[in-house]
Amino acid sequence: MILSYLLPPVVGAFIGWGTNWLALKMLFRPVKPFKIGPWAIQGVIPKRQDALARNLGEMVERELVSHHDLAKALSNPALLEALRPLVRTEAQRFAEERLPGLHPMVAMFLTQAMKDKVGEMLATELEAMLPRMIDGAGQILETHVSVRDLVRAKVEAMSPKTMEDMLFSILAKEFGFIEWSGAVLGGLVGLAQTALMVFLN
């Protein structure tokens, strides 16, 4: 008698959990179309990967990262300050390594003080040019770089397994909640059946 009362909630919970688990797996599996008579079964994401890549690229460019955002990031004063030490290092490297190799006569008469002076002058000139170069780079990005196409190409190139692992790592808790909510709902349905059975008896 007790078993007959417990069986519907247990079976209902198992069916609810299993149904949701299978539904989540079928988002990604099977990767290749599987023929059953006139029907072809394939995971939703592998089947719609091209459309997903296209829509995701458009959404990222429209809502998250636009050309304006890229240009604004490049014109950030903090970026300019971060680049200044690199500019000075490269200017000094040019004076130390490249300048003596321009001509044998140059190497003969080039003292360390002259190298330091050339490196300092070059660094000063490059630092003055840096804001204009960065501004120009921002304009070039707007013309030649498409955020939408970059995202689309990345998503299209992903293997279904990589996409599955990525989504499961990000949404592991949410997917677990979906599975167990199916178990809870199935168990509640089973309890309702048990209660109805008790009432009818």
Side-chain angles (χ1 to χ4, degrees):
M1 182 65 72
I2 294 175
L3 183 62
S4 65
Y5 290 156
L6 290 178
L7 200 57
V10 171
V11 172
F14 179 76
I15 291 174
W17 175 85
T19 301
N20 285 8
W21 177 86
L22 183 61
L24 290 173
K25 288 298 181 184
M26 287 185 68
L27 288 173
F28 307 95
R29 307 291 175 87
V31 174
K32 300 294 184 183
F34 180 73
K35 288 276 189 178
I36 300 179
W39 298 283
I41 299 175
Q42 186 179 12
V44 174
I45 288 181
K47 184 177 182 180
R48 302 282 294 163
Q49 186 166 349
D50 291 344
L52 177 64
R54 183 175 61 254
N55 293 334
L56 190 59
E58 291 173 355
M59 185 193 71
V60 168
E61 187 174 74
R62 184 176 64 250
E63 304 292 343
L64 299 178
V65 182
S66 65
H67 293 109
H68 176 72
D69 296 324
L70 292 175
K72 187 176 179 181
L74 285 175
S75 63
N76 189 334
L79 176 63
L80 187 64
E81 287 303 314
L83 287 174
R84 288 188 190 280
L86 179 62
V87 167
R88 301 194 74 82
T89 300
E90 292 302 317
Q92 192 61 40
R93 181 177 296 163
F94 174 84
E96 293 283 349
E97 300 175 5
R98 300 291 301 278
L99 192 59
L102 293 178
H103 196 276
M105 294 293 290
V106 174
M108 287 177 59
F109 295 101
L110 200 60
T111 65
Q112 186 60 46
M114 292 173 67
K115 291 178 184 178
D116 293 341
K117 185 65 175 177
V118 170
E120 182 64 30
M121 291 174 60
L122 183 58
T124 301
E125 289 299 318
L126 288 174
E127 284 181 350
M129 286 187 271
L130 201 54
R132 296 194 298 274
M133 293 172 66
I134 289 177
D135 184 59
Q139 295 178 16
I140 291 171
L141 277 175
E142 290 192 24
T143 307
H144 292 86
V145 176
S146 169
V147 176
R148 178 183 65 247
D149 291 343
L150 286 174
V151 174
R152 179 178 180 178
K154 283 286 186 181
V155 175
E156 284 180 345
M158 278 186 184
S159 69
K161 182 67 169 64
T162 300
M163 192 173 293
E164 180 181 359
D165 291 343
M166 181 183 69
L167 288 176
F168 267 95
S169 67
I170 296 170
L171 301 172
K173 290 183 179 179
E174 288 75 11
F175 285 165
F177 173 78
I178 290 172
E179 291 176 13
W180 288 107
S181 64
V184 171
L185 291 174
L188 290 175
V189 171
L191 281 174
Q193 291 176 333
T194 298
L196 183 62
M197 182 172 60
V198 170
F199 177 77
L200 291 177
N201 287 339

